Amino acid sequence: HAAYDPDQHRASMTSPTSTRPGTPLDEGPDAPLEELRRRQYAWRSTQRPDTLWPGLDRAVLQSAADAIGHAVTHVLRGERPRLAFDGGEQNADRRTRAVGVAALITGVGPLLGAWFLRGVLDADASLAPVLARHIAHGRAREARIRTAVLPVLARMERAGLEPGVIKGFHTAHCYFPEPGARPFSDVDVVVPPAAIEDAERLLTEAGFRPEPRTGGIGYKREWLPPEGRGDVWSYELW
C-alpha cells in the first residue's frame, strides 16, 4: 500500500519503452529536475500555488477548476458540453496552462482527455493538446504500473493467497471509460492475515522493497517497485 503525498502533488511523467514521434509522450519535462525540486521545497514552506506553478495564482486556478467542474457536471448528466475558459484572463497561454494544472489538481485531466477523444466532450482548440497530453500520460502510467503489478498478483492467486484489489486500480478498470483515465499513485492490495508472510515473500522475489509498517491496528505496508520512488518530473500532469 502506498499513500498519495499531497505535499508533492506527485505527477510523475512516465512513458513506455518506445513512442511514436510527435506524440504527447515525446515532450520534455516542465523544467530541469533541480528546478522542480526547488519549487517543491518552496511549496512546502509557503503553500502558494505560484511556487509550484510560476505565473499561476490561486484565483486563476480556481476559475479554471470551476470551468472544469461545470463541464464534468454536464457530461455526467448525459450532455455534451464544451470545455472553455476565459475567467477574465487576457493571456491565452496562461489560460490554457491554468486549465491543464487545474485538471491535474482536480484529478480529472486524463478523464477529460478520454471524453474529448470519444466525442463526449467538446473543447476549445487551444485545450485539445493539453487534454491529449493528459490522457496519453495517463495511459502510459497505467500500463507501466499494470505491467509491474499483475504478474505479482497472478503469483499470489496461484499460491492461493486470495489477493483483493481495492480503490484506484480497481475503480480504474471497472468504472472509467478506460483505465488510463483514472489517476492513481499506487495499487492497494488486501490479503487475509494468514497470507501476509507469503505475500511479502512474493513481492520481495519480484524486486519490490518494503517500507516500515504503519498503523497501530492490523497490517499496512508500502512496497516500492524495483526502480524505487523515482523523481517528480512534472507538476503539470500525472
Side-chain angles (χ1 to χ4, degrees):
H1 179 281
Y4 173 64
D5 184 351
D7 264 351
Q8 292 189 353
H9 283 272
R10 183 174 295 277
S12 179
M13 205 158 64
T14 62
S15 61
T17 304
S18 62
T19 60
R20 294 193 305 272
T23 71
L25 292 176
D26 296 319
E27 299 178 12
D30 306 334
L33 185 57
E34 286 303 317
E35 167 65 14
L36 295 180
R37 288 173 177 163
R38 187 195 65 76
R39 292 183 193 177
Q40 175 186 323
Y41 298 145
W43 160 262
R44 289 180 173 178
S45 61
T46 67
Q47 299 292 296
R48 287 173 41 190
D50 60 355
T51 57
L52 271 185
W53 304 288
L56 300 180
D57 57 28
R58 193 177 303 275
V60 70
L61 289 174
Q62 182 62 63
S63 296
D66 291 342
I68 290 172
H70 180 268
V72 170
T73 298
H74 284 276
V75 171
L76 295 179
R77 287 176 177 169
E79 302 164 0
R80 182 174 175 173
R82 183 176 190 84
L83 177 59
F85 175 59
D86 181 358
E89 176 57 53
Q90 300 299 316
N91 187 310
D93 290 340
R94 187 169 183 256
R95 284 201 308 269
T96 300
R97 184 161 171 255
V99 172
V101 171
L104 166 70
I105 297 172
T106 56
V108 295
L111 179 60
L112 293 172
W115 281 345
F116 178 72
L117 293 181
R118 285 167 168 73
V120 176
L121 171 73
D122 292 326
D124 286 354
S126 62
L127 299 180
V130 176
L131 300 183
R133 192 174 184 221
H134 272 282
I135 186 58
H137 283 279
R139 288 168 172 170
R141 182 180 175 85
E142 187 277 332
R144 180 184 178 192
I145 293 174
R146 171 167 37 85
T147 300
V149 170
L150 287 188
V152 184
L153 294 179
R155 291 190 65 189
M156 290 183 182
E157 287 186 342
R158 289 195 298 269
L161 305 187
E162 301 179 348
V165 178
I166 62 173
K167 298 171 63 178
F169 195 68
H170 167 71
T171 59
H173 287 80
C174 292
Y175 299 108
F176 281 73
E178 61 178 275
R182 203 290 193 188
F184 54 91
S185 59
D186 58 11
V187 177
D188 297 280
V189 181
V190 179
V191 298
I196 290 175
E197 184 177 346
D198 287 333
E200 289 192 328
R201 174 178 55 81
L202 292 176
L203 283 165
T204 301
E205 292 174 357
F208 286 77
R209 295 185 295 103
E211 293 280 87
R213 289 177 58 171
T214 60
I217 300 176
Y219 168 94
K220 182 179 180 181
R221 173 169 280 177
E222 179 177 300
W223 288 77
L224 302 181
E227 65 269 24
R229 287 188 179 276
D231 290 305
V232 176
W233 287 99
S234 175
Y235 288 114
E236 306 283 327
L237 74 165
W238 281 89

